[in-house]
Amino acid sequence: MKISSKQMLRILYAIAWVIFIGLCIKAGGFIFNTFFTLCINPEGANHFWNNMDLSQLYLSGKSYFIQFTVLISVVTVLQALLFYWIVKILHDKKLNLDRPFNSEVCKFIFRLSYISLAIGLVQLFGGMLLIAQLQSVHLSLPQSSQVSLREHEIWLFMGIILFVIAQIFKRGIELQDENELTV
């Protein structure tokens, strides 16, 4: 049995919704736990989101704790935004499979490339600055959080690939418009 393009788009739409909701929960969890730890109960740093122990950061200075949680929150919010745009274009049915080279799809791909590049750059520079600051006072991040800061290469690579694809779509639109004018 062969899956049609329309069926595949419906499956991808459902998967995008699940990922979007998961990323919103993750971002909300980080933001909530940050405020909870700072304002209500400092013990929250011991069992932070996903059982991450950030007590070392909190005890060595709230500024390190805030920098780390803001950095992770910004990255997660940007990731949720990326999937929001995917859900939105699939929900609004702006993917016309009969005429795939259109300005909406081109804008969509450019938008995804910019968000992917932003995620990679925030992780790269924010992570480098934070890790350098922590090393200067002989602290380190928990192992699980180091992994999430070192994903910048993947996001930068994806952003560049999406940017190239967006340029190809842009050229495809130009050729399609020229072809329509000659007919």
Side-chain angles (χ1 to χ4, degrees):
M1 185 168 114
K2 191 174 179 181
I3 298 176
S4 71
S5 298
K6 290 184 180 187
Q7 290 172 327
M8 183 57 75
L9 283 176
R10 277 186 247 147
I11 292 168
L12 291 174
Y13 179 64
I15 292 170
W17 260 112
V18 170
I19 294 171
F20 172 66
I21 291 169
L23 287 169
C24 287
I25 291 170
K26 183 179 177 182
F30 261 93
I31 294 166
F32 174 80
N33 282 334
T34 299
F35 285 113
F36 180 79
T37 301
L38 290 172
C39 300
I40 298 172
N41 186 2
E43 287 292 315
N46 294 340
H47 307 289
F48 206 72
W49 181 256
N50 218 12
N51 280 334
M52 199 181 308
D53 185 8
L54 299 179
S55 57
Q56 290 278 73
L57 285 178
Y58 187 82
L59 293 174
S60 62
K62 288 182 183 178
S63 65
Y64 299 128
F65 176 79
I66 292 170
Q67 287 175 14
F68 173 74
T69 55
V70 166
L71 178 64
I72 297 297
S73 296
V74 166
V75 167
T76 309
V77 166
L78 285 172
Q79 290 171 346
L81 182 64
L82 182 115
F83 277 92
Y84 166 77
W85 288 112
I86 292 171
V87 167
K88 183 169 175 29
I89 197 163
L90 291 173
H91 176 75
D92 294 345
K93 298 186 183 354
K94 295 202 175 173
L95 284 176
N96 184 356
L97 296 178
D98 297 328
R99 188 176 172 183
F101 291 99
N102 61 52
S103 62
E104 284 297 320
V105 173
C106 188
K107 282 191 257 182
F108 166 73
I109 297 172
F110 270 115
R111 193 175 292 136
L112 293 187
S113 72
Y114 297 145
I115 294 172
S116 298
L117 288 170
I119 293 168
L121 292 173
V122 167
Q123 282 183 327
L124 175 65
F125 294 116
M128 283 176 30
L129 289 172
L130 181 62
I131 290 171
Q133 282 181 340
L134 292 176
Q135 287 175 345
S136 71
V137 293
H138 305 296
L139 281 173
S140 64
L141 291 171
Q143 191 64 28
S144 59
S145 60
Q146 286 182 0
V147 171
S148 63
L149 289 178
R150 298 187 196 266
E151 296 172 342
H152 64 271
E153 296 163 345
I154 297 166
W155 288 102
L156 291 172
F157 183 69
M158 185 172 86
I160 291 169
I161 288 174
L162 286 170
F163 189 76
V164 169
I165 291 171
Q167 292 296 330
I168 292 169
F169 261 76
K170 186 176 177 183
R171 180 65 183 141
I173 292 168
E174 291 169 0
L175 290 174
Q176 189 171 288
D177 290 344
E178 285 175 19
N179 191 24
E180 286 177 0
L181 290 175
T182 58
V183 172

